[in-house]
Structure formats: C-alpha cells, structure tokens
Amino acid sequence: MSLSVRICHSFSDFTLDVAFEAGPGVTAIFGPSGAGKTSIASAVAGLFAPSRGVVELDGRRLYDAQARVNVPPHKRRIGTVFQDGRLFPHLSVAGNLDFGVRYVPRGRSGPDREQVIGLMDIAALLERRPLHLSGGEKQRVALARALLMAPELLIMDEPLAALDGPRKDEILPYLERLADGANVPILYVSHSVAEIARLADQIIVLRDGRVARSGNVGEVLSDPEVVPLMGVREAGSVLNAQVLGHDADGLSRLAVNGGTLLIPGVQADPGMHIRLRVLAQDVLLSLEAPSGLSSYNVLPVVVEALHRGDGPGMAVSLRLGGDRLLARVMARAAEEMRLRPGLACYAILKATAVPRGDIGAGRELG
C-alpha cells in the first residue's frame, strides 16, 4: 500500500501545506494542537476538501482539486476510527459490527468476523449496547467495525485522547496486536509521543501546518534537533530489546544493542522482542565505566551529535550498536566533559526510570 498526499488549504489562522508518502505499517502524524493533523486525516478520508492538492491510494486518485475528482468517503475503502468511537447507540455491539460488514465493496472479500472479534477480544460484549460499554471497550468495537469494512487503509484520529490513563493502558496492547496482525496499513494521528513510540513504524512531524521532519520513528524521535518539536520532557529514544528472562526480584533482563538492561514491569515471555521507550532526561553520561552505583544499567555508547537548546540544556545523540539513544544534560556539564562526536563514553539508566506504559510488547522497530 502506498498513500500519497499533497494538499494545501488556507484557514483563518494558518495555512496547511504538506506533502508526504506513507507505506505499509503504521505511519504516525504527530504535532501539537492546531498543527493540521486532523485536517490531513479528514482530507484523506474524504471528510474535507482542501482548496488545492491530490490524494492517491495505491495509484487510485481519491482527490484532485484541479481535475475536480473527489471520491465520496464511503467509496474510498478507508476505515476511520475517531476518539469518541461514534458507535450507533440504538444497535448492539453485534449490530454495529454487522453495519461494518455491509460496507464491504462488492467483489471484495472481507476479513473473517470471528477472527476480528477475537483480535479485539469483544466476544463477551456482542449483546451489549454502547451505553453499557467502557471507553476502552467502545474503541475496541469501533476498531473491529472499521476492520470488518475490509478497508485498504485505516485512519485512527486520536483514538485514545478521550480515555484516562488506565483505559489507555488497557487498549494499547490491542492496538499493538492490530498493527501486527490485521494486515491493514494505518495512518495514526496523535499528539502523544508515548503512543507513537509504541505503535508507529514511520512518523511525520508537523509544525505550523507543514512537515518539519519525517522518517523512521526510532531515528526521528532520537534526533537531538527534533527535541524542540517533541518537548524536552517527552524527548527520548525507542530501543529494540529481546526478553532474556525474569528474575525473582521482579526485574527482567533485556538484551539491547550493546548490552543488557534490567527493567521492571515487562509483561512479555522470554524470547519475545519488545520496544522500550527511554526518556532523554533519564539518561546520565560518564566518561569512564562507573562503579559503586545503585544502577545496574550501564551501556557503552559513542557520541554522535549534540544540539544546544534555548535554555541551559543540551541534547546528545548517542550510538548504541545499531540503535540511537538520546540523553539530555546540562550544557555546562557537556562542556566540562568535552563531549564531541566520536567520543566513547557510558550511558547510565535507572531501572525504575522506564514506566510500564513505555514498554510495548511484540513490535520491533524497522
């Protein structure tokens, strides 16, 4: 699947002018409120017609302002999931799913209904009405309904924004299963770095209605020059890790490029590959192999690049084998340590610095 978007539209307060390509897997559109994320999703889904531009899905032109082509939403073969689910309140869960099946294009075979129900774990909910579902349950039903439409592309527009922390933690594993098992490309719109770090393969970063950066999610998130776009508190890295085992004290041993980490809260079996989000503010640097520390997580790294922010901080990009690790240190400390590209040093990570919500099971970075 290949999605091509080139659109431009002037609103009262800003101009949206973007061009990007999205391939298989999960492509995240990230940016602050008002950056144009939902407008892009709406243009692709057919819910908004920009003044100029073209939208193509697998070579099929869905929108062309100049040629006056505008395929209606129900004929675009795109499933859309919004933050509020938008289920039909007068229908049961089973009825909502049947509505999705009705929209399968003639001559196109849809996914197996029972498999989709199992994927989203909603078999026990089929007789309920939306009024009697939790927020997380509603989103799982909305996802199942969208999948049963046999879409060529799935758009998820802030699907977790209306949920509280526990409900987000409940549904994220289902989204990971969906990303890996549904075989449907996903355009994932979010302002949450944590969600994107767990789910996305590629990322498009928006700023003021334009594409500021795009590429592999691991490389982009750990780029020191992207820190101002992410926010210093959210800046960090995404690492591939393999679960080696679980110790009796609750710590799990993870193999990463360049070493081993001890992390609590890992809910994956030994041998599984997972993603690990590490915040830049939780990484310390040392010029020599430290001893006598309470932290067991010491990894040899090489300084790749440095980026001075507007304040007293400095973002430091580090190479950890084939992965990139991001640290945020005081600029004064970086100068005293004489940090520079090519310098070998050590990164130190506290075991408790990685919350359970930043550990994603089953999804490897490409």
Side-chain angles (χ1 to χ4, degrees):
M1 191 285 300
S2 175
L3 174 69
S4 176
V5 176
R6 302 185 304 278
I7 57 175
C8 184
H9 190 89
S10 294
F11 297 91
S12 59
D13 52 347
F14 85 110
T15 296
L16 178 67
D17 189 355
V18 297
F20 65 87
E21 308 282 330
V26 180
T27 300
I29 300 180
F30 170 84
S33 298
K37 303 185 302 296
T38 294
S39 296
I40 293 172
S42 297
V44 175
L47 305 176
F48 157 63
S51 57
R52 300 190 303 278
V54 174
V55 176
E56 289 184 345
L57 180 61
D58 257 357
R60 185 165 58 98
R61 190 150 293 196
L62 304 179
Y63 182 77
D64 188 329
Q66 186 173 0
R68 297 186 179 180
V69 173
N70 191 7
V71 177
H74 65 282
K75 292 185 178 181
R76 293 196 176 199
R77 304 176 200 165
I78 294 174
T80 307
V81 179
F82 299 95
Q83 62 178 276
D84 56 2
R86 301 194 185 183
L87 300 177
F88 296 111
H90 63 291
L91 297 178
S92 65
V93 167
N96 272 277
L97 299 184
D98 291 339
F99 185 86
V101 173
R102 274 184 242 149
Y103 271 86
V104 176
R106 186 173 300 174
R108 180 177 170 86
S109 60
D112 182 86
R113 188 176 188 271
E114 295 307 313
Q115 287 184 352
V116 172
I117 289 172
L119 181 69
M120 290 293 108
D121 193 19
I122 55 175
L125 310 177
L126 294 177
E127 301 307 316
R128 294 192 202 172
R129 297 284 180 93
L131 179 64
H132 303 292
L133 301 177
S134 69
E137 290 170 340
K138 289 178 182 178
Q139 289 302 78
R140 281 153 52 197
V141 174
L143 285 164
R145 183 178 64 181
L147 287 173
L148 288 170
M149 295 171 61
E152 294 182 353
L153 172 70
L154 186 61
I155 296 176
M156 303 178 69
D157 188 3
E158 299 277 11
L160 305 185
L163 305 180
D164 58 20
R167 299 293 81 75
K168 288 183 180 181
D169 292 340
E170 168 199 320
I171 199 172
L172 268 168
Y174 292 100
L175 295 182
E176 289 172 328
R177 288 167 59 184
L178 174 64
D180 283 329
N183 200 29
V184 178
I186 298 172
L187 198 63
Y188 193 89
V189 177
S190 180
H191 66 276
S192 168
V193 180
E195 292 173 28
I196 289 171
R198 283 186 62 165
L199 297 171
D201 301 295
Q202 302 291 316
I203 183 173
I204 297 160
V205 182
L206 299 181
R207 178 172 56 187
D208 300 328
R210 287 170 169 76
V211 176
R213 183 70 191 276
S214 64
N216 175 277
V217 68
E219 289 295 311
V220 172
L221 292 185
S222 57
D223 185 341
E225 295 190 4
V226 178
V227 170
L229 303 176
M230 298 290 158
V232 293
R233 294 184 181 277
E234 293 292 333
S237 315
V238 187
L239 302 179
N240 280 319
Q242 184 178 25
V243 181
L244 297 177
H246 304 291
D247 295 338
D249 60 359
L251 292 175
S252 299
R253 286 171 282 113
L254 307 178
V256 297
N257 272 321
T260 302
L261 294 177
L262 291 173
I263 300 291
V266 177
Q267 305 295 314
D269 295 330
M272 287 189 64
H273 291 270
I274 65 173
R275 288 188 184 191
L276 195 68
R277 181 180 177 231
V278 179
L279 293 178
Q281 63 189 15
D282 293 327
V283 178
L284 301 178
L285 297 180
S286 174
L287 293 177
E288 299 178 353
S291 62
L293 293 179
S294 60
S295 177
Y296 291 95
N297 296 320
V298 179
L299 299 170
V301 294
V302 176
V303 176
E304 184 179 60
L306 300 95
H307 180 77
R308 177 70 185 261
D310 294 332
M314 178 173 286
V316 184
S317 176
L318 307 159
R319 272 295 163 189
L320 176 64
D323 285 339
R324 180 189 254 176
L325 186 65
L326 190 66
R328 185 171 181 270
V329 301
M330 292 295 99
R332 179 184 300 181
E335 292 170 0
E336 291 176 353
M337 297 172 68
R338 298 183 181 180
L339 296 182
R340 61 192 181 279
L343 177 69
C345 58
Y346 294 87
I348 304 162
L349 172 66
K350 288 178 59 178
T352 55
V354 181
R356 181 172 296 181
D358 285 341
I359 304 172
R363 298 225 74 223
E364 286 189 83
L365 290 169

